[in-house]
Amino acid sequence: MKDISQYKEEPEGGKRCYLCYSKRMKDAYDYACLHHFDYWTTVLSVSPHKNSQWINEIGASYPQEKTQFLFSDFKKNNGYLKSVKFAALYNLYRQNYCGCVYSYQDMLEREKTRSYKNNFKMVLICTIFYFIPKKIYLSLKYRHYVFFRLYYK
């Protein structure tokens, strides 16, 4: 992380991410060599936020004599959607940040903002419905999102 810390202000997808990919993939490469795997790869490319071209370039940069890098872009053919469904089916944990401390902090900030917005919307919806006659409320009950959008803008 020492090498990456100087890029802490960079947005996700910048130089910090490239260095992080390199470190993670170096660890995977070393493990594959140590255990005599024929091939190695990474699932980093399943994320729509990860640069598959960089990932494949990094993989190709390691010597291919002991173990070969399996080029991939797991986003293709709805790979991301399949991974989400698979994780839900098997109740697997999916984190909503890439893994570095800076991404984690960004995620916390997004969650705080999202939570505030969701709470605001709920209060606004309840307030609007409170002033609507019951007959109209019942007719809008199942279309509250459309109704809400009209008042929210």
Side-chain angles (χ1 to χ4, degrees):
M1 287 303 282
K2 185 178 179 185
D3 297 327
I4 296 174
S5 65
Q6 63 185 326
Y7 300 103
K8 67 181 177 182
E9 299 301 323
E10 290 238 353
E12 186 167 344
K15 180 71 173 170
R16 178 183 77 216
C17 292
Y18 187 89
L19 295 171
C20 188
Y21 298 168
S22 296
K23 192 228 179 292
R24 290 171 185 242
M25 292 176 70
K26 174 71 170 123
D27 292 346
Y29 172 79
D30 290 343
Y31 186 90
C33 287
L34 181 66
H35 296 283
H36 310 288
F37 287 10
D38 294 328
Y39 292 92
W40 70 281
T41 193
T42 176
V43 295
L44 284 170
S45 72
V46 77
S47 170
H49 304 288
K50 303 296 179 255
N51 185 325
S52 297
Q53 183 178 351
W54 281 359
I55 291 166
N56 287 321
E57 286 173 7
I58 294 165
S61 72
Y62 294 110
Q64 304 293 309
E65 291 80 35
K66 291 183 179 181
T67 182
Q68 293 182 359
F69 179 70
L70 181 64
F71 293 86
S72 61
D73 183 352
F74 293 116
K75 285 184 280 295
K76 290 184 177 181
N77 299 318
N78 289 319
Y80 177 74
L81 181 60
K82 289 175 186 174
S83 75
V84 171
K85 288 180 179 179
F86 183 81
L89 179 66
Y90 291 100
N91 200 24
L92 300 175
Y93 170 74
R94 292 182 58 87
Q95 66 188 38
N96 57 354
Y97 62 98
C98 77
C100 78
V101 67
Y102 309 112
S103 174
Y104 179 71
Q105 291 167 346
D106 289 346
M107 179 274 302
L108 290 176
E109 192 60 36
R110 280 192 313 271
E111 290 296 316
K112 187 168 49 170
T113 302
R114 183 178 300 140
S115 175
Y116 171 76
K117 285 181 180 177
N118 287 342
N119 289 339
F120 176 73
K121 288 177 187 177
M122 186 58 87
V123 169
L124 185 60
I125 289 171
C126 292
T127 304
I128 290 170
F129 284 158
Y130 180 75
F131 294 108
I132 297 173
K134 189 169 186 165
K135 188 175 184 180
I136 296 172
Y137 168 75
L138 292 174
S139 69
L140 294 172
K141 185 176 174 184
Y142 297 104
R143 292 176 283 169
H144 64 76
Y145 179 74
V146 175
F147 177 75
F148 168 69
R149 295 291 296 165
L150 295 173
Y151 279 84
Y152 187 65
K153 285 185 178 182

